[in-house]
Amino acid sequence: MTFRAPVRDLAFALKTVGHPDLLARHYPDLDGDTVQAVLEAAAAFADNELAPLNRQGDLVGARYENGTVTAAPGFADAYRRFVEQGWNSLSADPEHGGQGLSKAMELAVFEMVHAANMAFGLCPMLTQGAIEALTLHGTERQKALVLPKLVSGEWTGAMCLTEPQAGSDLAALTSVARPDGKGGYRLSGQKIFITWGDHDAADNICHLIIARTPDAPPGIKGISLFLANKFQVKDDGALGPRNSFRPASIEHKLGIHGSPTCVMLYEDAEAELVGELGQGLAHMFVMMNAARLQVGVQGVAIAERAFQQALAFSQERRQGRTALPGDGAIYGHPDVRRTLMLMKARIEAARGICLTTGVLSDVARLADDPAERAAAKARQELLTPIAKAWSTDVGVDVASAGVQIHGGMGFIEETGAAQHYRDARIAPIYEGTNGIQALDLIGRKVRANGGETMKALCADMAATADRLSAAAGLEGVGARLGAGVAALDRATGWLLDADNIAAQAAATPYLKLAGDVTGGWILGLQALAASGSEDQPWLAAKGALARLWASQVLTQAPGLADGLADGALDLESTQPTALAG
């Protein structure tokens, strides 16, 4: 099935996520025509270069043989063209060879990349995180010799956290970095699930690894961050001998077969400290948070890919008598059309949340007013776990609905609908499971400051609900968004007073509630921006999607809020034997 990057939707979303005046001041060359040109050029690359490789990547995948990893067919050549055209360096600092564009623009481009070929997109995605980590915490040598190569894409980055006994519990890691007496370290240990940890698509691979030094205290305070390059980087920037780490195997996975997920063995490998000793987890969180937002974008992207295929199939497949007028295609069945419209609404809501988070990161860096920067940073941090978790759940839900639209044909691999579902399923798991994102939301982002950041967001959403209530044709959206915001505000108050067990039991439904309401806010903003455009069906559909969301999703918000308090009632008393049957 042919993929077409959603340039029109992305351009419209970028216009409606806020702060156009501030971004225009700091990116004076990034006017509407330039944004359109960048998106169209990226779309051409995604449509013509990456999308045709997606199916082959799934069927053949990356290969491991004789201790080396070979990228899926066509991936290495496509990656070289990707970096030659400058797509790897969009938001990086010009000081290091980047183009200095906004984070929101980078996310928009990467959505198209991930939608065209999610397995491919993981490689440059992780490089972006390595760029951000070294920009903030790298040594002068690392910034001079390694960072420009990562920005250009000549070298790629890998994030190396997980060990067989230490998944999400990074305090349990055992990899050790011993001082070599020359200012460097010798690193030994095993890491698993290392995405694009080895491949043949770039000249060098820069591993950012968390490990302990021999005298480090136990727990997370003993973790430091290190850089180990596949090939030694000499003082003049030239590559030297191969470092002493290697892939032991690649994993056989449910999906994203084109992305090599490596088991890596470090055998007294040369490594350099990044940042300060004992601050490794804090430093690595720069890379992790960048990856979490990008993974949220992956959820949007795979949903878009699955939706496009389902929509096309619904216009080709003829089955039964349709209730709505048309040519007999299943798009004429009301439930099929409702499903497709709800899929589209989920995509646009999740896209808006992710792009809003990207815009806030720009504002947090660029605003002249310190108070504005601080407020933007707080809201960015609040939305990041929602963007990651809620958007990746959207990816799975929409991909599953896409299989359902295909019926039995969706369960057959040849149609490709099943690949989207298989690819989507990893996104709620990696870069911190969605349950961990929910705990982060309620703990560090809501309860830590007495709910002030969430209350400020609720106030802004309530103001939008008032605007919708005064807009012709959107009154019902305003009323239901207002009720949803009130439910979220009420749930936040309960959360602040709850004990830890009750709060943790409610974390995932609270995140869903926050995502559903924030998604309704995004769709309401889009409907307002498109109001008065009934003569343009594409724009008029924005109001239809907001109304559908209000009736199908926002109506559930009060019930979600009411149910939070009951979530922990039976958790302590219910033992595994009672569940085993």
Side-chain angles (χ1 to χ4, degrees):
M1 179 257 176
T2 301
F3 168 72
R4 181 179 58 82
V7 171
R8 184 166 59 172
D9 283 335
L10 281 163
F12 185 79
L14 284 168
K15 291 177 182 177
T16 56
V17 293
H19 298 284
D21 295 339
L22 180 137
L23 294 180
R25 286 202 308 275
H26 289 277
Y27 301 106
D29 297 330
L30 201 60
D31 57 18
D33 290 342
T34 304
V35 168
Q36 187 72 21
V38 171
L39 292 177
E40 289 178 355
F45 186 86
D47 294 354
N48 301 322
E49 301 274 358
L50 299 182
L53 300 175
N54 191 48
R55 187 63 175 157
Q56 186 76 346
D58 182 57
L59 294 174
V60 178
R63 298 195 318 274
Y64 173 83
E65 192 173 18
N66 298 324
T68 62
V69 177
T70 303
F75 276 42
D77 288 340
Y79 179 75
R80 294 185 188 104
R81 291 191 290 274
F82 179 85
V83 299
E84 286 169 2
Q85 294 185 23
W87 299 116
N88 198 70
S89 61
L90 288 173
S91 69
D93 194 324
E95 180 182 351
H96 305 300
Q99 299 177 50
L101 295 182
S102 73
K103 173 60 70 172
M105 274 299 301
E106 179 189 82
L107 293 175
V109 167
F110 267 78
E111 185 198 312
M112 292 186 276
V113 169
H114 292 311
N117 195 323
M118 181 173 163
F120 175 95
L122 279 162
C123 181
M125 182 196 94
L126 288 169
T127 302
Q128 303 309 310
I131 289 169
E132 292 192 26
L134 290 183
T135 298
L136 286 177
H137 301 298
T139 65
E140 291 307 312
R141 182 181 189 276
Q142 291 158 3
K143 290 179 180 179
L145 300 181
V146 177
L147 192 51
K149 295 291 188 179
L150 288 171
V151 170
S152 70
E154 295 170 75
W155 300 350
T156 64
M159 179 165 55
C160 309
L161 288 77
T162 307
E163 298 181 4
Q165 79 296 340
S168 300
D169 182 14
L170 296 175
L173 67 86
T174 59
S175 295
V176 176
R178 296 179 173 83
D180 63 4
K182 304 175 184 177
Y185 291 82
R186 290 285 180 170
L187 193 146
S188 297
Q190 178 181 349
K191 298 289 184 179
I192 63 172
F193 302 159
I194 307 307
T195 302
W196 285 85
D198 193 64
H199 57 84
D200 62 340
D203 296 335
N204 195 22
I205 307 171
C206 307
H207 284 215
L208 286 171
I209 310 165
I210 52 173
R212 301 184 183 283
T213 51
D215 58 350
I220 61 173
K221 292 182 179 179
I223 296 173
S224 298
L225 179 61
F226 299 89
L227 169 66
N229 295 296
K230 181 176 180 178
F231 292 96
Q232 182 188 83
V233 179
K234 298 180 180 180
D235 289 340
D236 63 356
L239 293 179
R242 175 77 181 258
N243 205 347
S244 53
F245 65 82
R246 59 187 172 86
S249 63
I250 58 175
E251 305 290 357
H252 301 282
K253 309 186 295 290
L254 178 68
I256 54 169
H257 297 152
S259 169
T261 303
C262 301
V263 175
M264 299 298 306
L265 300 179
Y266 301 87
E267 302 160 317
D268 211 27
E270 292 186 14
E272 309 170 22
L273 180 68
V274 178
E276 301 178 32
L277 280 172
Q279 297 297 312
L281 205 54
H283 297 338
M284 181 59 90
F285 258 104
V286 175
M287 190 174 188
M288 289 172 67
N289 281 328
R292 285 173 175 178
L293 181 52
Q294 280 273 9
V295 169
V297 172
Q298 281 186 338
V300 180
I302 198 67
E304 175 68 34
R305 186 70 187 264
F307 167 75
Q308 286 194 20
Q309 182 161 338
L311 179 63
F313 184 84
S314 75
Q315 297 171 83
E316 298 163 1
R317 178 70 165 169
R318 280 153 181 79
Q319 196 78 29
R321 292 184 177 180
T322 60
L324 295 169
D327 58 2
I330 63 171
Y331 186 74
H333 291 296
D335 190 59
V336 170
R337 190 171 299 190
R338 179 198 64 83
T339 300
L340 286 162
M341 289 180 67
L342 195 55
M343 291 165 73
K344 180 69 171 178
R346 291 188 189 280
I347 292 165
E348 295 206 353
R351 175 182 289 133
I353 289 173
C354 290
L355 291 180
T356 297
T357 310
V359 167
L360 289 167
S361 72
D362 291 324
V363 176
R365 289 184 298 107
L366 301 173
D368 297 326
D369 182 1
E372 186 179 4
R373 290 199 303 272
K377 182 67 173 175
R379 185 169 292 185
Q380 173 201 345
E381 292 176 346
L382 176 77
L383 289 179
T384 294
I386 300 172
K388 193 279 180 184
W390 193 82
S391 299
T392 56
D393 284 343
V394 163
V396 173
D397 290 345
V398 170
S400 179
V403 173
Q404 192 73 19
I405 292 291
H406 283 74
M409 294 294 183
F411 206 67
I412 304 299
E413 285 287 352
E414 282 79 358
T415 64
Q419 180 193 343
H420 306 321
Y421 184 63
R422 289 186 288 100
D423 287 351
R425 193 58 192 83
I426 184 57
I429 298 173
Y430 58 19
E431 302 310 335
T433 66
N434 284 1
I436 290 173
Q437 303 303 314
L439 293 175
D440 178 54
L441 175 65
I442 66 162
R444 295 188 184 92
K445 309 301 167 58
V446 176
R447 301 180 91 187
N449 69 350
E452 290 305 315
T453 306
M454 180 59 84
K455 292 174 183 176
L457 176 61
C458 285
D460 285 350
M461 293 193 292
T464 300
D466 290 341
R467 290 177 58 205
L468 287 161
S469 297
L474 299 174
E475 300 91 344
V477 178
R480 284 171 171 162
L481 177 58
V485 173
L488 178 58
D489 191 54
R490 184 171 74 254
T492 301
W494 172 86
L495 186 69
L496 295 173
D497 294 332
D499 63 43
N500 283 334
I501 291 177
Q504 290 182 33
T508 291
Y510 178 84
L511 188 147
K512 174 175 168 46
L513 173 62
D516 288 352
V517 174
T518 307
W521 177 50
I522 294 292
L523 292 171
L525 289 172
Q526 292 202 356
L528 286 169
S531 61
S533 303
E534 286 76 10
D535 57 331
Q536 299 181 52
W538 173 74
L539 283 172
K542 304 299 182 184
L545 295 177
R547 286 187 288 271
L548 182 70
W549 191 264
S551 65
Q552 299 274 300
V553 178
L554 288 177
T555 50
Q556 301 174 34
L560 271 174
D562 291 343
L564 292 185
D566 299 333
L569 292 179
D570 294 310
L571 294 185
E572 291 183 86
S573 61
T574 304
Q575 299 302 313
T577 53
L579 301 176

